[in-house]
Amino acid sequence: MCHFTFLGWLLLSLSLNMPLFLPSFPSLFFLLSLLSTTLLSHSFPFPNHGHRPHPHHFASHNYRDALSKSIIFFEGQRSGKLPSNQRITWRRDSALSDGSAMHVDLVGGYYDAGDNVKFGFPMAFTTTMLSWSVLEFGGVMKGELQNAREAIRWGTDYLLKATAHPGTIYVQVGDAKKDHACWERPEDMDTPRNVYKIDHNTPGSEVAAETAAALAAASLVFKKTDPTYSKILVRRAISVFQFADKYRGSYSNGLKPFVCPFYCSYSGYEDELLWGAAWLHKATRNSIYLNYIKVNGQTLGAAESDNTFGWDNKHVGARILLSKEFLVQKVQTLHDYKGHADNFICSLIPGTSFSSAQYTPGGLLFKMSDSNMQYVTSTSFLLLTYAKYLTKSHTVVNCGGTTVTPKRLRAIAKKQVDYLLGDNPLKMSYMVGYGPRYPRRIHHRGSSLPSISVHPGKIQCSAGFGVMNSQSPNPNVLVGAVIGGPDLHDRFPDERSDYEQSEPATYINAPLVGTLAYLAHSFGQL
């Protein structure tokens, strides 16, 4: 909107070579019309990032609002002693004696989803992806950058505690089976807070290497704002990665009764070793990690054709991350990773001979029925990140004769995010608290039960199931939570018991933070 001030009137007078006088109302009306026409007839270029959309392409959504909410969500997942600036105020302190059974301090960190267990594997991946989001797009986050850093630090503070004893990593707090037998607020939690660890006798290379990746990635986030903390993170990442590589084995073997079927590692630990080495190379610029990648890349599955990226399988993420070294830093020995990354991109492009991705009739990428939205958010992030690398290196992707430009990758990512935010057959936003219509009965204990301020008395273990099985909306809005999402046919029942479709998770939101920052900036909202 044009606010016509005296300064504007002065500039207009000068530009039209008119004498400076206060016009009568009709002439003022004419001049205002002339000015507005002149302004509208000129397309003013956006600053920075020469790939901003044309100003007449209006944003489908308030990406800035969605970005803010996607970060606030992490505050609803906090475990431990909550800070005074806690914004999701229906939560209170919880699990303040975690680790005491093993005489270690494991207070803090995140509940990964709708229960009250702290699983180290997805928590580390969440922290890595929040860090990557900030490293790629933090420069345009404006006021949300500090909130994103705090979300990362809540994760890394805990991971530093979990790795404080050399040769040991504490990878889980809580007995998942007993926790799942209760429907209770984290503030009331009275199920066993058993602590599970990996060490040289019970190795867990995937969770150790992912923890190293998280610490390394976060060290880059804090390099300028808190160099002391950054050095602590990178030093710990180096030692944790050494442990992951030296004592190879899957934590799903040694800790199977406790971590399976919840966060079993199905893809093995090789992908995490490659991913962890890639992040340590990025964080330290030490040639030892580049050499490690060159020597071990093939045996760690660099060329595998899997096209799923999430808390379990990191191959695609490692390919994209390492392709930057070749594309932007011109590290010739990593040439193959551009080809590996291109294969992933081509698998997503409908209509090409390499296309293998499945989409719903409404256009949503569909990988699997259980928490599908995590693959939508992680893939969208990789598309935008790879588009950024391609743009910097003036490169495109060739899918068997079909040229795929960075612009095309951005369009695909935007379409996925727009679907998530409400451009879908149900006109439903799958982010809680965003838009007029969103899921009201998410599979989340704290959100579904009355808060401490409303119901100060303890809600016993099984008493909460009456609420869980009811049709009443959740009384506490878990702002920003992105849930599992619709099925292959774009259907979504909004039932609390349906954890596959209705449960939120930290690793769904983490890559979305970077994607929303990019979109908000692109459309001039940041």
Side-chain angles (χ1 to χ4, degrees), residues 28-68:
L28 177 60
F29 181 80
F30 167 75
L31 289 170
L32 282 171
S33 303
L34 177 66
L35 179 62
S36 63
T37 306
T38 306
L39 286 170
L40 290 172
S41 67
H42 287 78
S43 57
F44 294 98
F46 285 104
N48 310 325
H49 299 263
H51 46 260
R52 284 192 165 204
H54 192 277
H56 294 305
H57 292 177
F58 295 108
S60 322
H61 288 281
N62 187 339
Y63 301 114
R64 181 175 189 163
D65 181 49
L67 168 64
S68 176

Coordinates of all heavy atoms in Angstrom, one line a residue, residues 28-68:
L28 N -5.2 16.7 -6.3 CA -4.5 15.7 -5.5 C -4.9 14.3 -5.9 O -4.1 13.4 -6.0 CB -4.8 16.0 -4.0 CG -4.2 15.0 -3.0 CD1 -2.7 15.0 -3.1 CD2 -4.6 15.4 -1.6
F29 N -6.2 14.1 -6.1 CA -6.8 12.8 -6.4 C -6.2 12.3 -7.7 O -5.7 11.2 -7.9 CB -8.3 12.9 -6.5 CG -8.9 11.6 -6.9 CD1 -9.1 10.6 -6.0 CD2 -9.3 11.3 -8.2 CE1 -9.7 9.4 -6.3 CE2 -9.8 10.1 -8.6 CZ -10.0 9.1 -7.6
F30 N -6.0 13.3 -8.7 CA -5.5 12.9 -10.0 C -4.0 12.5 -9.8 O -3.6 11.5 -10.4 CB -5.6 14.1 -11.0 CG -4.7 14.0 -12.2 CD1 -5.1 13.1 -13.2 CD2 -3.5 14.6 -12.3 CE1 -4.3 12.9 -14.3 CE2 -2.7 14.5 -13.4 CZ -3.1 13.6 -14.5
L31 N -3.3 13.3 -9.0 CA -1.8 13.0 -8.8 C -1.6 11.7 -8.1 O -0.7 10.9 -8.4 CB -1.2 14.1 -8.1 CG -1.0 15.4 -8.8 CD1 -0.6 16.6 -7.9 CD2 0.0 15.3 -10.0
L32 N -2.5 11.4 -7.1 CA -2.4 10.1 -6.4 C -2.6 8.9 -7.4 O -1.9 7.9 -7.4 CB -3.4 10.0 -5.3 CG -3.1 10.8 -4.0 CD1 -4.3 10.8 -3.1 CD2 -1.9 10.1 -3.3
S33 N -3.6 9.1 -8.3 CA -3.9 8.1 -9.3 C -2.7 7.9 -10.2 O -2.3 6.8 -10.5 CB -5.1 8.5 -10.1 OG -6.2 8.7 -9.3
L34 N -2.1 9.0 -10.6 CA -1.0 9.0 -11.5 C 0.2 8.3 -10.9 O 0.8 7.4 -11.5 CB -0.6 10.4 -11.9 CG 0.7 10.6 -12.8 CD1 0.4 9.9 -14.2 CD2 1.1 12.0 -12.9
L35 N 0.4 8.6 -9.6 CA 1.5 8.0 -8.8 C 1.3 6.5 -8.7 O 2.2 5.7 -8.9 CB 1.7 8.7 -7.5 CG 2.8 8.1 -6.6 CD1 4.2 8.3 -7.3 CD2 2.8 8.8 -5.2
S36 N 0.1 6.1 -8.3 CA -0.2 4.7 -8.1 C 0.0 3.9 -9.4 O 0.5 2.8 -9.4 CB -1.5 4.4 -7.5 OG -2.5 4.9 -8.4
T37 N -0.5 4.5 -10.5 CA -0.3 3.8 -11.8 C 1.2 3.7 -12.1 O 1.6 2.6 -12.6 CB -1.0 4.6 -12.9 OG1 -2.3 4.9 -12.5 CG2 -1.0 3.9 -14.2
T38 N 1.9 4.8 -11.9 CA 3.4 4.7 -12.2 C 4.1 3.6 -11.3 O 4.9 2.9 -11.8 CB 4.0 6.1 -11.9 OG1 3.3 7.1 -12.6 CG2 5.5 6.1 -12.3
L39 N 3.7 3.6 -10.0 CA 4.3 2.6 -9.2 C 4.0 1.2 -9.6 O 4.8 0.3 -9.6 CB 3.8 2.8 -7.7 CG 4.4 4.0 -7.0 CD1 3.7 4.3 -5.7 CD2 5.9 3.8 -6.7
L40 N 2.7 0.9 -9.9 CA 2.3 -0.4 -10.3 C 2.9 -0.8 -11.6 O 3.0 -2.0 -11.9 CB 0.8 -0.5 -10.3 CG 0.1 -0.4 -9.0 CD1 -1.4 -0.3 -9.1 CD2 0.4 -1.6 -8.1
S41 N 3.2 0.1 -12.5 CA 3.7 -0.2 -13.8 C 5.2 -0.6 -13.8 O 5.7 -1.1 -14.7 CB 3.5 0.9 -14.8 OG 4.3 2.0 -14.4
H42 N 5.8 -0.3 -12.6 CA 7.3 -0.7 -12.5 C 7.4 -1.9 -11.6 O 6.8 -2.0 -10.6 CB 8.1 0.4 -11.9 CG 8.3 1.6 -12.8 ND1 7.3 2.5 -13.1 CD2 9.4 1.9 -13.5 CE1 7.8 3.4 -14.0 NE2 9.0 3.1 -14.2
S43 N 8.1 -3.0 -12.1 CA 8.3 -4.1 -11.3 C 9.7 -3.9 -10.6 O 10.7 -3.8 -11.2 CB 8.4 -5.4 -12.1 OG 9.4 -5.3 -13.1
F44 N 9.6 -3.8 -9.2 CA 10.8 -3.5 -8.5 C 11.5 -4.8 -8.1 O 10.9 -5.7 -7.6 CB 10.5 -2.7 -7.2 CG 9.9 -1.4 -7.4 CD1 8.5 -1.2 -7.4 CD2 10.7 -0.3 -7.7 CE1 8.0 0.1 -7.7 CE2 10.2 0.9 -8.0 CZ 8.9 1.1 -7.9
P45 N 12.8 -5.0 -8.5 CA 13.4 -6.2 -8.2 C 13.6 -6.5 -6.8 O 13.9 -5.5 -6.0 CB 14.8 -6.1 -8.9 CG 15.0 -4.6 -9.0 CD 13.7 -4.0 -9.1
F46 N 13.5 -7.8 -6.4 CA 13.8 -8.1 -5.0 C 15.4 -8.1 -4.8 O 16.1 -8.5 -5.7 CB 13.4 -9.5 -4.7 CG 11.9 -9.6 -4.5 CD1 11.1 -10.2 -5.5 CD2 11.3 -9.2 -3.4 CE1 9.7 -10.3 -5.4 CE2 9.9 -9.4 -3.2 CZ 9.1 -9.9 -4.2
P47 N 15.8 -7.7 -3.6 CA 17.3 -7.8 -3.4 C 17.7 -9.2 -3.2 O 16.9 -10.1 -2.9 CB 17.4 -7.0 -2.0 CG 16.1 -7.2 -1.4 CD 15.1 -7.2 -2.5
N48 N 19.0 -9.5 -3.2 CA 19.7 -10.8 -3.0 C 19.2 -11.9 -3.9 O 18.2 -11.7 -4.6 CB 19.5 -11.2 -1.5 CG 19.8 -10.2 -0.5 OD1 20.7 -9.5 -0.8 ND2 19.1 -10.1 0.6
H49 N 19.7 -13.0 -3.6 CA 19.2 -14.3 -4.2 C 18.5 -14.1 -5.5 O 17.3 -14.2 -5.6 CB 18.3 -15.0 -3.2 CG 18.9 -15.3 -1.9 ND1 19.4 -16.5 -1.6 CD2 19.2 -14.5 -0.8 CE1 19.9 -16.4 -0.4 NE2 19.8 -15.2 0.1
G50 N 19.3 -14.0 -6.6 CA 18.7 -13.6 -7.9 C 17.6 -14.6 -8.3 O 17.2 -14.5 -9.5
H51 N 17.1 -15.5 -7.5 CA 16.0 -16.4 -7.9 C 14.7 -16.1 -7.2 O 13.9 -17.0 -7.0 CB 16.5 -17.8 -7.7 CG 17.1 -18.1 -6.4 ND1 18.4 -18.1 -6.2 CD2 16.5 -18.2 -5.2 CE1 18.7 -18.4 -4.9 NE2 17.5 -18.4 -4.3
R52 N 14.5 -14.9 -6.7 CA 13.2 -14.7 -6.1 C 12.1 -14.7 -7.1 O 12.3 -14.2 -8.2 CB 13.2 -13.3 -5.4 CG 14.0 -13.3 -4.1 CD 13.7 -12.1 -3.3 NE 14.2 -12.2 -1.9 CZ 13.7 -11.5 -0.9 NH1 12.8 -10.6 -1.2 NH2 14.1 -11.7 0.3
P53 N 10.9 -15.1 -6.7 CA 9.8 -15.1 -7.7 C 9.4 -13.7 -8.1 O 9.7 -12.7 -7.5 CB 8.6 -15.7 -6.9 CG 9.2 -16.4 -5.7 CD 10.5 -15.6 -5.4
H54 N 8.8 -13.6 -9.3 CA 8.4 -12.3 -9.8 C 7.4 -11.7 -8.8 O 6.6 -12.4 -8.2 CB 7.7 -12.5 -11.2 CG 7.5 -11.2 -11.9 ND1 6.4 -10.4 -11.6 CD2 8.2 -10.6 -12.9 CE1 6.4 -9.4 -12.4 NE2 7.5 -9.4 -13.2
P55 N 7.5 -10.4 -8.6 CA 6.6 -9.8 -7.5 C 5.1 -10.0 -7.7 O 4.3 -9.9 -6.8 CB 6.9 -8.3 -7.6 CG 7.8 -8.1 -8.8 CD 8.4 -9.4 -9.1
H56 N 4.7 -10.3 -9.0 CA 3.3 -10.6 -9.2 C 2.8 -12.0 -8.8 O 1.7 -12.3 -8.8 CB 2.9 -10.3 -10.7 CG 3.1 -8.8 -11.0 ND1 2.5 -7.8 -10.3 CD2 3.8 -8.2 -12.0 CE1 2.8 -6.6 -10.8 NE2 3.6 -6.9 -11.8
H57 N 3.8 -12.9 -8.5 CA 3.5 -14.2 -8.1 C 3.3 -14.1 -6.6 O 4.2 -14.2 -5.8 CB 4.6 -15.2 -8.4 CG 4.8 -15.4 -9.9 ND1 5.8 -16.2 -10.4 CD2 4.1 -15.0 -10.9 CE1 5.7 -16.2 -11.7 NE2 4.7 -15.5 -12.0
F58 N 2.1 -14.0 -6.1 CA 1.8 -13.8 -4.7 C 2.0 -15.1 -4.0 O 1.7 -16.2 -4.5 CB 0.4 -13.2 -4.5 CG 0.3 -11.9 -5.1 CD1 -0.5 -11.6 -6.2 CD2 0.9 -10.8 -4.5 CE1 -0.6 -10.4 -6.8 CE2 0.8 -9.5 -5.0 CZ 0.1 -9.3 -6.2
A59 N 2.4 -15.0 -2.7 CA 2.6 -16.2 -1.9 C 1.3 -16.9 -1.6 O 0.3 -16.2 -1.3 CB 3.3 -15.8 -0.6
S60 N 1.3 -18.2 -1.7 CA 0.0 -18.9 -1.4 C -0.2 -18.9 0.1 O -1.4 -19.1 0.6 CB 0.2 -20.4 -1.8 OG 0.9 -20.5 -3.0
H61 N 0.8 -18.7 0.9 CA 0.7 -18.9 2.4 C 1.5 -17.9 3.1 O 2.4 -17.3 2.6 CB 1.1 -20.3 2.8 CG 0.1 -21.3 2.4 ND1 -1.0 -21.6 3.1 CD2 0.1 -22.2 1.3 CE1 -1.7 -22.5 2.5 NE2 -1.0 -22.9 1.4
N62 N 1.2 -17.7 4.4 CA 2.0 -16.9 5.3 C 3.2 -17.8 5.8 O 3.1 -18.4 6.9 CB 1.2 -16.4 6.4 CG 2.0 -15.4 7.3 OD1 3.2 -15.3 7.3 ND2 1.2 -14.5 8.0
Y63 N 4.2 -17.9 5.0 CA 5.3 -18.8 5.4 C 6.1 -18.3 6.6 O 6.6 -19.1 7.4 CB 6.3 -18.9 4.2 CG 5.7 -19.4 2.9 CD1 5.6 -18.6 1.8 CD2 5.2 -20.7 2.9 CE1 5.0 -19.1 0.6 CE2 4.6 -21.2 1.7 CZ 4.5 -20.4 0.6 OH 4.0 -20.9 -0.6
R64 N 6.0 -17.0 6.8 CA 6.7 -16.5 8.0 C 6.0 -16.9 9.3 O 6.6 -17.3 10.3 CB 6.7 -14.9 8.0 CG 7.4 -14.3 9.2 CD 7.6 -12.8 9.1 NE 8.4 -12.3 10.2 CZ 9.0 -11.2 10.2 NH1 8.9 -10.3 9.2 NH2 9.8 -10.8 11.2
D65 N 4.7 -16.9 9.3 CA 3.9 -17.4 10.4 C 4.2 -18.9 10.6 O 4.3 -19.3 11.7 CB 2.4 -17.1 10.1 CG 1.5 -17.6 11.3 OD1 1.8 -17.2 12.4 OD2 0.5 -18.3 11.0
A66 N 4.2 -19.6 9.5 CA 4.4 -21.1 9.6 C 5.8 -21.3 10.1 O 6.0 -22.3 10.9 CB 4.2 -21.7 8.2
L67 N 6.8 -20.5 9.7 CA 8.2 -20.7 10.2 C 8.2 -20.5 11.7 O 8.8 -21.3 12.5 CB 9.1 -19.7 9.5 CG 10.5 -19.5 10.1 CD1 11.3 -20.8 10.0 CD2 11.3 -18.4 9.5
S68 N 7.6 -19.4 12.2 CA 7.6 -19.1 13.6 C 7.0 -20.2 14.4 O 7.6 -20.7 15.4 CB 6.8 -17.8 13.8 OG 6.7 -17.5 15.2

